[in-house]
Amino acid sequence: MATNQQRREAAKRKLERQLVRRAEQAKRRKIVGAGVVGGVVLIVAGLVVWIVNSGGSGDPQAAAPPPSSSAPPVPSVTNIPTERTALPKRPKALPNPTTCSYPADPSGKPPSGKKATVPDGKNVSSSGTVNITMKTTQGDIPMTLDRALAPCTVQAFESLAKQGFYTDTICHRLGVTDLQMLQCGDPDAKGDVTTDGRGGPGFTVPDEVVDTSKYGRGVLAMANTGQPNSGGSQFFMVYGNAPLQPQYTIFGSISDEGLKVLDKIAKNGIGAIGQDGSTGEPKQPVKFTAVTVS
């Protein structure tokens, strides 16, 4: 039978091997934020010291580290850029008018309690702009929708706005570090991080992505599930950096006044972190109280 000293040495060697493996795994995961790998090293090293200095009774429960009650730190906003990101331009103008199709949501998830009428998609203009102001509990956010960039997305968004679909919904996701944006338009969000983030109007919006799209301060874009043509009612407003691949339809821009409101929301911070570990609900709730279209 192993002695206490032998058991302590075996535990030490085992945890040292775990230390190396965890550090290597952390590097491979491309974890956002400096110091994560170092934090793993320090935590595991602390466990080694604790076990080696414990009584070494051989009881598995006695050898387990004490549970940690500390929650992960909530990130705060830093380095908001002041320069706007230019909207992309289509290399070739779209037909005007054009036709749009808005199929039913294939996920099978029933629409929320908010009933939305599907836009007709006929004779949709692909020129000109639409001015919309999202009135929120944190201030007004005026935006300009660009039909030349995304006529189908603009028609869908304008239709939902006029139907009152967005009124009394909240913005459920705020990013303040690498992805600096505010995401809104989920009618199922209730002000917590338990929503699956997939609420929508019951129909989908086709992708209208320009290959040269770059996402940054002032850009208004449609969210999706990661699958083609899976947009709906959710959208995100970028107030800072957003190093995303061109797979989200850009359909307009946010005014200077609106950006000031977004900056304030970001500086108020995140109240609770979501499952991705970096974004979460805004600390100060952001609710749409009314939407005007002109």
Side-chain angles (χ1 to χ4, degrees):
M1 180 180 294
T3 65
N4 288 344
Q5 178 63 29
Q6 289 172 329
R7 283 193 290 269
R8 287 195 295 271
E9 291 296 325
K12 180 180 178 181
R13 289 192 298 271
K14 180 179 179 180
L15 285 177
E16 286 174 340
R17 290 194 297 271
Q18 291 177 348
L19 166 65
V20 174
R21 286 199 302 271
R22 293 185 187 185
E24 291 175 346
Q25 290 170 354
K27 291 178 182 177
R28 289 195 297 268
R29 288 175 190 150
K30 299 180 180 178
I31 299 175
V32 175
V36 177
V37 174
V40 173
V41 172
L42 290 175
I43 291 171
V44 179
L47 297 180
V48 172
V49 173
W50 184 84
I51 291 179
V52 170
N53 292 329
S54 68
S57 64
D59 183 345
Q61 294 182 347
S68 172
S69 59
S70 60
V74 177
S76 58
V77 68
T78 57
N79 301 326
I80 299 178
T82 58
E83 185 176 351
R84 282 180 168 271
T85 296
L87 295 184
K89 294 185 180 297
R90 288 195 171 275
K92 182 179 179 181
L94 295 171
N96 187 26
T98 189
T99 301
C100 302
S101 176
Y102 304 101
D105 187 343
S107 70
K109 181 176 180 178
S112 69
K114 278 183 168 289
K115 185 178 180 179
T117 301
V118 182
D120 62 19
K122 299 177 181 178
N123 296 316
V124 179
S125 175
S126 59
S127 67
T129 59
V130 179
N131 294 318
I132 289 185
T133 298
M134 312 295 286
K135 295 182 176 295
T136 85
T137 51
Q138 298 298 321
D140 292 354
I141 305 177
M143 51 183 64
T144 301
L145 313 189
D146 189 340
R147 292 193 181 106
L149 269 178
C152 297
T153 305
V154 170
Q155 188 195 47
F157 191 91
E158 181 182 6
S159 174
L160 290 173
K162 287 181 175 179
Q163 293 178 48
F165 183 86
Y166 289 116
T167 303
D168 294 328
T169 64
I170 68 167
C171 295
H172 63 283
R173 185 184 181 208
L174 174 66
V176 296
T177 53
D178 290 337
L179 181 59
Q180 296 179 319
M181 61 85 210
L182 181 66
Q183 186 168 332
C184 315
D186 182 351
D188 298 335
K190 305 300 181 184
D192 55 41
V193 294
T194 59
T195 177
D196 64 8
R198 292 177 180 267
F203 62 84
T204 57
V205 180
D207 292 337
E208 296 175 288
V209 179
V210 178
D211 291 342
T212 57
S213 293
K214 294 190 180 300
Y215 308 88
R217 185 170 176 82
V219 165
L220 174 67
M222 181 62 64
N224 60 45
T225 67
Q227 298 300 314
N229 303 308
S230 60
S233 58
Q234 292 193 43
F235 62 97
F236 60 97
M237 298 175 283
V238 185
Y239 64 87
N241 297 309
L244 300 169
Q245 295 298 314
Q247 59 188 38
Y248 305 93
T249 299
I250 293 176
F251 64 103
S253 60
I254 304 155
S255 72
D256 290 341
E257 178 187 349
L259 285 173
K260 290 179 181 178
V261 174
L262 293 176
D263 290 346
K264 180 183 73 170
I265 293 168
K267 291 173 182 176
N268 284 337
I270 293 175
I273 293 293
Q275 293 183 352
D276 64 6
S278 61
T279 66
E281 62 175 348
K283 189 172 184 179
Q284 296 296 323
V286 183
K287 183 178 182 179
F288 296 128
T289 58
V291 182
T292 62
V293 181
S294 60

